[in-house]
Every structure is written in C-alpha cells, then in structure tokens.
Amino acid sequence: MPRKRPVDDETGSEALKHLKIDDASPPDSDLSDASPPASDLSDTEPTEHISDAFLDTVCRSNLDFDFEEQCSVSLSTTNIYACLVCGKYFQGRGQQTHAYFHSINDNHHVFINLKTQRVYVLPDNYEVMDKSLNDIKDVIQPTFTAHDVTRLDETGHAHDLMGRPYVVGCVGLNRVKRTSYINVIIQTLAHIRPIRNFLLTLNLDERPPLVRKLAMVVRRMWHARRFKAHISPHECVQEIVGLSKGRFGLDDEADPFELLVWMLNTMHGMVRKKKTSVVYETLRGEMQVATQKVRDASHDMVDETTVTTMPFLALSLELPPTPLFTHTSNDDEDERADIPQVALTTLLQRYDGTTVETNGLVRHYTVTNLPSYIVCHVKRFSKHNMREKNPTVVNFPVCNVPFGELLHVRGAQSATYDLVVNVCHVGHQEKSAVDGAGLESESPFVAYVRQGESSWFRVHDLRVEPVMPQMLFLSDSYIQVWQRN
C-alpha cells in the first residue's frame, strides 16, 4: 500500500484523488552489492507537483552541504539525495534504493536532489514545489548576479539560523588535520576582488573540479543567508591534496606561499582564454633582470650585461640575516623588544635597480610593469625547512604605499597601494603537541583580511575577531596582498 499524505481540507483531498503515484519499482532501481552504473539509477518521474507536503518535518539546523556528495550507505557519488530531516545523503529515490528505505525505516520523507535541487516526498515519490524551500536551495548552490557582486563589500554582518552574527566574506574555515596553510590561501583568494568576482559569477558546468570546488567555498563565504557561521572546505582540500599528487598533504603544515603559487598557475591553466586569464590579468607584472658575471674579487665583468624581461606573480623580499644574539634582557616579557625590525620600503629596494650579487653573478632587478594586485612574499624560512625561521619584524603602513615611486616604475610613479590581506606565521605546530583537553595545538598560520574600506579581521581557522589596523605588523608577516588605488 502506498503511504498517503496527510489531508487537512477538501482541496487537499481532491488533489489526492487526482494524484498518480507510480507504485511499480523502476526496472533498474534495484541496488545490488556492486554499485550500478548511473543509467541504472534513473528516477521515476512524478506526474504532478504538490506543495506543503511534510514540510513541517524539515529541520534546517541538521543540514550541512559542505561535505562531499556521497551516499552514506553505498559511498556512491552518483544520483545523490539529501534528507531534509536528518541531513544524511542517500543514493537514488526509486524503490529498492537507499533513500527509499530510509524514508520507510526512519519516517523521513522530504529529500532534495543535490544536482537538480528538485524536492521529492518518499516513498510516495511526488515532487514538492514550495517557495519556502528556496533558502535551502540557495545554501546548496549560492548564485550571484553582476549586480550582487558590486554590492558585496557593503553587505557587512549577517546572522545564521541560531542568531549568531558573522561577517559576510570573513567566515571561519574548519581545519582538516594540519591544513591551516590551505585555509589562509583560500581566505587570500577570496579577498582578491577580481578573482573573487570571477569565481562568484562563473558558470561551473563542465569546469575542472579544483575550480568548481574552490568557487563553491568562495560563494559560501560570501553568502549572506547561511545556516551556519562557518564553512568546512573538505572537498576543496581533498581536491588540492589529490591534484598536487601528495605535494600538499593533511598530516604536516606546508608552505602556504608554495601552495599559492601552485594554485595560481594551476587555475590559470584551467580558465585561460587566448593565453591569458583572470589570474594573470590581476597579479602578473613584469621586470627586467640585468645579469653580469664576476671574474674575480675585483668585480671585473667577463661578459657584457644580459638583459631579460620576465613576468612575476609575486615579489620575494629578502630579510637581513638574523643576529646571533637577540635577547639581552632577563625578563621574558621583553624578549620581543630585542627582535630586529626592518621597514617594508627597505626590502623593496631590491627591485629598484640596485645591485644584488649571488653565486658569482651580479643581478639588477627593475620592475617595469605593476599589476593591479601585488603579492609580496617575506622569505622567513630556510629552504625546505619550515623550522628555521627569521623572526625579523617588518614594519609597514596599511594604505597609500607608493610602490610606483619606491620601485621607480616608468609611467606609474604615482601608483599607490592598500593592503588587503596579510598572512602571518604565529608559531609551530608539533605533531605530538596537545593541550590540557587533549586537543591539537594551535595552527601556525593566520590571515588578517580587510573588509570594506577600513575594517580588519583576524581569521584563525574557525575564529574570526576584529582587530585594529595598527596591530597588523606585530605578527610575523609572510604573505601580503596589496590592491592598487
């Protein structure tokens, strides 16, 4: 006997008389021990649309669509439905499918297809059309129009289902094992405006998995009607780990700058059109490198100067060597006062045409073209060793830095930049380190991001805290992103 929908009035009774429900099991919906092909899971098309059926059982607080679309029973990723009562994922909706059995055994009847976003009532198998479900569909696949994107920076604060406030765009990311280095790079890409706008408005059909999953994380970060005030970027993290073939993993913190360069080049290859892409249009600059060979200690030149033009996505800034003795006080609280400091303008002198000698070569770096966004990489760690760190403090203003004047760029002498992202290293995470509650120690990387014109937030995995811009340089800056005015 098919299950009947509750009827509250004559209208509902009359609709039930004309409702045709296919009692017969679809010929190919039977699930054996082996996973059937996708064609065997075709759904039975309902003949009518009905609204307000079992919608009072939908529990939005149980819904979380950040995880991989995978059946909780068969582990299949084909034809997945989410139960809107308990939030679990199941395969298929025809008879002899896991979703069908779940509706009978657990008395949960409302399911949504995660691809088509069509809602059905099982086991009776009729479709529900109701506007009250639109908020759930928006959470599954947030969409943005060109008009929405222009007003994103004006959105400000929003509230989740429990009434907890969160800052749209500055949403905490759940850390999967030791992946804080991935979280800070996702935060960085989500706050480079042209890349963010591209990911928000991009048609994700037939896009590579990395672009599609990163775009979904960024869209959920900038969605103003979320059910939860945090995001779990599990799918994006797993795609990065798999696509990099183990170069970036889950068990140890890696170098976030290496990840950033890898992701930018990988994304460029996936979305480029006519040898360019939003990545290169936003971050790619050019410099001239003049190279000369040194014959002896007198610095006589053997060959003529060789000048080459090369593009760059980031400027690497060399810190001065760490002093042998930096702690002269007996008071541990004054230890940071003994750490050397250097100005950002001093580090940028490397690219204004001055001489830099390395390995018997004299090189002159001259920036000839400034991009819309400049990425600065402060080289704090020795090569292939994240444990050896240079603690030198880098001092910098947060706005109106005259990069054009400092780098002597022709035609861009008046170009000034404002800081929008500052990724810092705040400590090391030992594998065996646990606190009193048996939890893992703090993650070593944190992102400071600017929201709007002057508001700054410290995003440390799930924790989001407002900070004063005067406090940014107190942490050990590692990656900075500057926006051209």
Side-chain angles (χ1 to χ4, degrees):
M1 292 289 295
R3 301 177 64 91
K4 294 184 178 180
R5 180 172 63 91
V7 179
D8 297 331
D9 50 29
E10 295 182 359
T11 304
S13 177
E14 190 69 20
L16 197 60
K17 292 179 182 179
H18 298 283
L19 176 63
K20 297 181 181 179
I21 301 176
D22 191 357
D23 292 335
S25 174
D28 296 322
S29 64
D30 194 10
L31 289 177
S32 59
D33 294 337
S35 296
S39 60
D40 294 342
L41 294 172
S42 58
D43 299 324
T44 305
E45 286 296 329
T47 56
E48 293 192 25
H49 305 303
I50 296 182
S51 61
D52 303 327
F54 296 105
L55 297 188
D56 57 336
T57 63
V58 174
C59 184
R60 287 168 173 78
S61 60
N62 291 336
L63 304 182
D64 189 352
F65 303 107
D66 293 341
F67 295 92
E68 183 179 4
E69 298 177 6
Q70 186 179 65
C71 177
S72 58
V73 180
S74 67
L75 303 183
S76 173
T77 58
T78 304
N79 200 24
I80 301 302
Y81 288 77
C83 175
L84 296 185
V85 181
C86 65
K88 294 182 180 180
Y89 292 175
F90 298 96
Q91 185 181 31
R93 80 165 191 273
Q95 293 186 16
Q96 306 302 318
T97 62
H98 297 301
Y100 182 89
F101 290 136
H102 178 72
S103 66
I104 296 176
N105 297 334
D106 295 74
N107 203 27
H108 296 171
H109 302 289
V110 188
F111 294 79
I112 186 170
N113 186 296
L114 296 179
K115 293 295 183 184
T116 64
Q117 298 189 24
R118 298 173 67 178
V119 181
Y120 301 89
V121 168
L122 299 182
D124 294 334
N125 192 29
Y126 54 80
E127 185 175 3
V128 177
M129 305 289 289
D130 196 287
K131 293 182 179 181
S132 66
L133 300 172
N134 288 345
D135 61 334
I136 298 177
K137 298 177 181 180
D138 288 341
V139 171
I140 296 176
Q141 293 184 3
T143 56
F144 294 83
T145 64
H147 178 68
D148 295 335
V149 168
T150 59
R151 302 180 59 185
L152 277 180
D153 296 323
E154 305 173 1
T155 304
H157 290 74
H159 294 79
D160 64 3
L161 279 178
M162 306 303 295
R164 292 170 296 199
Y166 68 93
V167 182
V168 178
C170 297
V171 180
L173 300 179
N174 187 28
R175 175 162 54 97
V176 185
K177 292 188 177 181
R178 293 178 175 87
T179 57
S180 67
Y181 72 100
I182 298 180
N183 286 352
V184 294
I185 295 306
I186 293 177
Q187 294 283 358
T188 300
L189 295 176
H191 287 84
I192 300 177
R193 190 173 298 172
I195 296 179
R196 177 202 70 182
N197 296 348
F198 174 78
L199 294 174
L200 293 181
T201 58
L202 180 66
N203 184 1
L204 300 182
D205 296 337
E206 299 181 358
R207 290 290 181 176
L210 178 62
V211 176
R212 186 171 65 251
K213 293 178 181 180
L214 176 63
M216 289 306 302
V217 174
V218 174
R219 293 181 182 192
R220 289 166 180 169
M221 290 176 63
W222 288 94
H223 187 45
R225 297 178 297 277
R226 290 192 50 77
F227 291 166
K228 294 177 171 31
H230 59 83
I231 295 175
S232 299
H234 290 75
E235 284 192 273
C236 185
V237 170
Q238 291 174 356
E239 184 63 26
I240 291 173
V241 174
L243 192 60
S244 66
K245 298 181 180 179
R247 180 180 177 184
F248 306 104
L250 305 177
D251 298 328
D252 292 299
E253 295 284 354
D255 188 344
F257 179 71
E258 291 185 5
L259 174 63
L260 175 62
V261 174
W262 178 85
M263 289 193 67
L264 292 177
N265 286 302
T266 303
M267 289 177 57
H268 165 71
M270 293 178 174
V271 301
R272 65 180 176 182
K273 294 181 178 179
K274 298 181 180 180
K275 297 183 179 181
T276 188
S277 68
V278 65
V279 176
Y280 278 16
E281 292 173 355
T282 304
L283 301 174
R284 192 183 190 213
E286 287 185 353
M287 69 171 65
Q288 286 185 348
V289 182
T291 306
Q292 295 174 310
K293 287 186 178 180
V294 178
R295 185 193 312 180
D296 51 28
S298 63
H299 287 204
D300 293 333
M301 303 305 172
V302 177
D303 298 328
E304 295 183 356
T305 302
T306 303
V307 180
T308 58
T309 301
M310 58 183 296
F312 68 88
L313 291 177
L315 298 177
S316 293
L317 307 180
E318 297 279 355
L319 291 175
T322 306
L324 294 177
F325 304 99
T326 59
H327 185 41
T328 59
S329 173
N330 294 327
D331 190 353
D332 292 339
E333 295 181 357
D334 297 332
E335 182 177 355
R336 189 166 179 82
D338 299 322
I339 296 177
Q341 302 185 27
V342 64
L344 176 66
T345 55
T346 302
L347 301 180
L348 289 173
Q349 292 176 359
R350 181 186 184 189
Y351 299 100
D352 64 357
T354 58
T355 300
V356 177
E357 180 181 345
T358 56
N359 298 328
L361 296 176
V362 174
R363 290 191 176 96
H364 303 265
Y365 298 95
T366 305
V367 175
T368 58
N369 183 27
L370 289 174
S372 302
Y373 285 74
I374 297 178
V375 177
C376 293
H377 168 224
V378 182
K379 300 179 69 173
R380 291 193 175 275
F381 304 100
S382 61
K383 193 173 183 180
H384 306 304
N385 190 350
M386 295 287 290
R387 300 293 178 184
E388 298 180 8
K389 173 184 172 182
N390 188 329
T392 301
V393 176
V394 180
N395 297 319
F396 53 88
V398 297
C399 60
N400 295 324
V401 176
F403 273 83
E405 180 181 349
L406 294 172
L407 302 178
H408 306 299
V409 181
R410 294 182 180 179
Q413 294 285 341
S414 60
T416 60
Y417 287 75
D418 293 343
L419 185 67
V420 292
V421 179
N422 187 35
V423 175
C424 300
H425 185 267
V426 295
H428 295 300
Q429 183 184 39
E430 303 291 346
K431 288 185 178 181
S432 60
V434 294
D435 59 17
L439 301 176
E440 291 183 350
S441 60
E442 293 287 345
S443 54
F445 294 103
V446 60
Y448 293 86
V449 297
R450 192 186 75 180
Q451 185 73 356
E453 295 299 327
S454 58
S455 300
W456 282 89
F457 293 89
R458 182 180 189 267
V459 185
H460 197 180
D461 292 333
L462 290 174
R463 297 191 297 275
V464 180
E465 303 168 339
V467 296
M468 298 293 292
Q470 295 83 356
M471 307 295 290
L472 297 181
F473 72 92
L474 296 180
S475 299
D476 297 334
S477 299
Y478 188 52
I479 302 172
Q480 294 182 336
V481 180
W482 296 84
Q483 176 188 350
R484 188 168 184 170
N485 292 324

